Amino acid sequence: MDINTAFPGSYLKAADILGRLITVVMDRVEVEDVGGGDHKPVVYFQGKERGLVLNKTNANIIKDMYGSETGQWVGKSIVLYTAKVEFN
């Protein structure tokens, strides 16, 4: 069994990218309850079902590229990739 299939979810996760570079076009950003009453922005992409829950780091990267108003992000491209990061 592929352990990545044991934890399906509504949002993209690193295992979905599998070390590839994936260019996507942003379709919309919505604030959603992502579990435990935690509300975060989720960016959805054209032609893709699942969105990416934004953390502070990736939200700031997109903001630096396209501005702080998420409406300005619609139709713009980004590249999804995985990276190891320090936590806490």
Side-chain angles (χ1 to χ4, degrees):
M1 171 179 74
D2 181 347
I3 197 65
N4 293 318
T5 63
F7 304 101
S10 301
Y11 304 107
L12 288 174
K13 56 187 179 294
D16 298 323
I17 297 172
L18 299 173
R20 298 173 290 157
L21 299 176
I22 301 173
T23 301
V24 292
V25 176
M26 293 179 282
D27 184 59
R28 68 189 185 282
V29 179
E30 299 178 5
V31 176
E32 298 182 8
D33 182 344
V34 295
D38 198 14
H39 290 80
K40 294 192 175 189
V42 178
V43 62
Y44 287 91
F45 309 106
Q46 294 176 5
K48 308 292 183 194
E49 290 182 27
R50 295 188 290 161
L52 176 68
V53 178
L54 296 179
N55 61 29
K56 198 174 216 179
T57 300
N58 52 32
N60 282 328
I61 290 169
I62 299 171
K63 178 196 73 156
D64 290 346
M65 292 172 64
Y66 298 120
S68 62
E69 289 296 327
T70 59
Q72 296 173 334
W73 301 0
V74 174
K76 303 288 193 326
S77 297
I78 59 171
V79 176
L80 302 179
Y81 61 92
T82 58
K84 293 200 182 262
V85 297
E86 300 269 336
F87 181 72
N88 286 339

